[in-house]
mmCIF file with all atom_site columns, all heavy atoms in Angstrom:
data_model
loop_
_atom_site.group_PDB
_atom_site.id
_atom_site.type_symbol
_atom_site.label_atom_id
_atom_site.label_alt_id
_atom_site.label_comp_id
_atom_site.label_asym_id
_atom_site.label_entity_id
_atom_site.label_seq_id
_atom_site.pdbx_PDB_ins_code
_atom_site.Cartn_x
_atom_site.Cartn_y
_atom_site.Cartn_z
_atom_site.occupancy
_atom_site.B_iso_or_equiv
_atom_site.pdbx_formal_charge
_atom_site.auth_seq_id
_atom_site.auth_comp_id
_atom_site.auth_asym_id
_atom_site.auth_atom_id
_atom_site.pdbx_PDB_model_num
ATOM 1  N N   . ARG A 1 135 ? 33.891 -17.536 95.645 1.00 97.00 ? 135 ARG A N   1
ATOM 2  C CA  . ARG A 1 135 ? 35.348 -17.537 95.684 1.00 97.00 ? 135 ARG A CA  1
ATOM 3  C C   . ARG A 1 135 ? 35.854 -16.116 95.935 1.00 97.00 ? 135 ARG A C   1
ATOM 4  O O   . ARG A 1 135 ? 35.248 -15.148 95.450 1.00 97.00 ? 135 ARG A O   1
ATOM 5  C CB  . ARG A 1 135 ? 35.919 -18.025 94.358 1.00 97.00 ? 135 ARG A CB  1
ATOM 6  C CG  . ARG A 1 135 ? 35.595 -19.469 94.076 1.00 97.00 ? 135 ARG A CG  1
ATOM 7  C CD  . ARG A 1 135 ? 36.440 -19.977 92.920 1.00 97.00 ? 135 ARG A CD  1
ATOM 8  N NE  . ARG A 1 135 ? 36.045 -21.327 92.593 1.00 97.00 ? 135 ARG A NE  1
ATOM 9  C CZ  . ARG A 1 135 ? 35.141 -21.635 91.675 1.00 97.00 ? 135 ARG A CZ  1
ATOM 10 N NH1 . ARG A 1 135 ? 34.557 -20.670 90.990 1.00 97.00 ? 135 ARG A NH1 1
ATOM 11 N NH2 . ARG A 1 135 ? 34.831 -22.873 91.440 1.00 97.00 ? 135 ARG A NH2 1
ATOM 12 N N   . PRO A 1 136 ? 36.976 -15.971 96.656 1.00 95.00 ? 136 PRO A N   1
ATOM 13 C CA  . PRO A 1 136 ? 37.568 -14.647 96.845 1.00 95.00 ? 136 PRO A CA  1
ATOM 14 C C   . PRO A 1 136 ? 37.799 -13.987 95.488 1.00 95.00 ? 136 PRO A C   1
ATOM 15 O O   . PRO A 1 136 ? 38.212 -14.657 94.545 1.00 95.00 ? 136 PRO A O   1
ATOM 16 C CB  . PRO A 1 136 ? 38.911 -14.946 97.522 1.00 95.00 ? 136 PRO A CB  1
ATOM 17 C CG  . PRO A 1 136 ? 38.749 -16.297 98.121 1.00 95.00 ? 136 PRO A CG  1
ATOM 18 C CD  . PRO A 1 136 ? 37.771 -17.046 97.261 1.00 95.00 ? 136 PRO A CD  1
ATOM 19 N N   . GLY A 1 137 ? 37.518 -12.704 95.392 1.00 96.00 ? 137 GLY A N   1
ATOM 20 C CA  . GLY A 1 137 ? 37.705 -12.003 94.115 1.00 96.00 ? 137 GLY A CA  1
ATOM 21 C C   . GLY A 1 137 ? 36.443 -11.926 93.290 1.00 96.00 ? 137 GLY A C   1
ATOM 22 O O   . GLY A 1 137 ? 36.342 -11.120 92.373 1.00 96.00 ? 137 GLY A O   1
ATOM 23 N N   . GLY A 1 138 ? 35.459 -12.775 93.615 1.00 98.00 ? 138 GLY A N   1
ATOM 24 C CA  . GLY A 1 138 ? 34.177 -12.690 92.915 1.00 98.00 ? 138 GLY A CA  1
ATOM 25 C C   . GLY A 1 138 ? 33.419 -11.457 93.379 1.00 98.00 ? 138 GLY A C   1
ATOM 26 O O   . GLY A 1 138 ? 33.768 -10.829 94.382 1.00 98.00 ? 138 GLY A O   1
ATOM 27 N N   . THR A 1 139 ? 32.375 -11.105 92.650 1.00 98.00 ? 139 THR A N   1
ATOM 28 C CA  . THR A 1 139 ? 31.593 -9.935  93.045 1.00 98.00 ? 139 THR A CA  1
ATOM 29 C C   . THR A 1 139 ? 30.101 -10.219 93.084 1.00 98.00 ? 139 THR A C   1
ATOM 30 O O   . THR A 1 139 ? 29.582 -11.001 92.277 1.00 98.00 ? 139 THR A O   1
ATOM 31 C CB  . THR A 1 139 ? 31.846 -8.721  92.121 1.00 98.00 ? 139 THR A CB  1
ATOM 32 O OG1 . THR A 1 139 ? 31.165 -7.573  92.668 1.00 98.00 ? 139 THR A OG1 1
ATOM 33 C CG2 . THR A 1 139 ? 31.351 -8.934  90.705 1.00 98.00 ? 139 THR A CG2 1
ATOM 34 N N   . LEU A 1 140 ? 29.448 -9.584  94.033 1.00 98.00 ? 140 LEU A N   1
ATOM 35 C CA  . LEU A 1 140 ? 28.001 -9.415  93.996 1.00 98.00 ? 140 LEU A CA  1
ATOM 36 C C   . LEU A 1 140 ? 27.739 -8.132  93.237 1.00 98.00 ? 140 LEU A C   1
ATOM 37 O O   . LEU A 1 140 ? 28.477 -7.148  93.405 1.00 98.00 ? 140 LEU A O   1
ATOM 38 C CB  . LEU A 1 140 ? 27.451 -9.291  95.414 1.00 98.00 ? 140 LEU A CB  1
ATOM 39 C CG  . LEU A 1 140 ? 27.451 -10.586 96.239 1.00 98.00 ? 140 LEU A CG  1
ATOM 40 C CD1 . LEU A 1 140 ? 27.702 -10.290 97.690 1.00 98.00 ? 140 LEU A CD1 1
ATOM 41 C CD2 . LEU A 1 140 ? 26.123 -11.321 96.069 1.00 98.00 ? 140 LEU A CD2 1
ATOM 42 N N   . ILE A 1 141 ? 26.697 -8.118  92.419 1.00 98.00 ? 141 ILE A N   1
ATOM 43 C CA  . ILE A 1 141 ? 26.314 -6.894  91.710 1.00 98.00 ? 141 ILE A CA  1
ATOM 44 C C   . ILE A 1 141 ? 24.829 -6.636  91.948 1.00 98.00 ? 141 ILE A C   1
ATOM 45 O O   . ILE A 1 141 ? 23.989 -7.509  91.696 1.00 98.00 ? 141 ILE A O   1
ATOM 46 C CB  . ILE A 1 141 ? 26.576 -7.007  90.192 1.00 98.00 ? 141 ILE A CB  1
ATOM 47 C CG1 . ILE A 1 141 ? 28.056 -7.285  89.913 1.00 98.00 ? 141 ILE A CG1 1
ATOM 48 C CG2 . ILE A 1 141 ? 26.144 -5.724  89.485 1.00 98.00 ? 141 ILE A CG2 1
ATOM 49 C CD1 . ILE A 1 141 ? 28.380 -7.512  88.432 1.00 98.00 ? 141 ILE A CD1 1
#
Side-chain angles (χ1 to χ4, degrees):
R135 294 193 184 93
T139 187
L140 288 146
I141 301 176

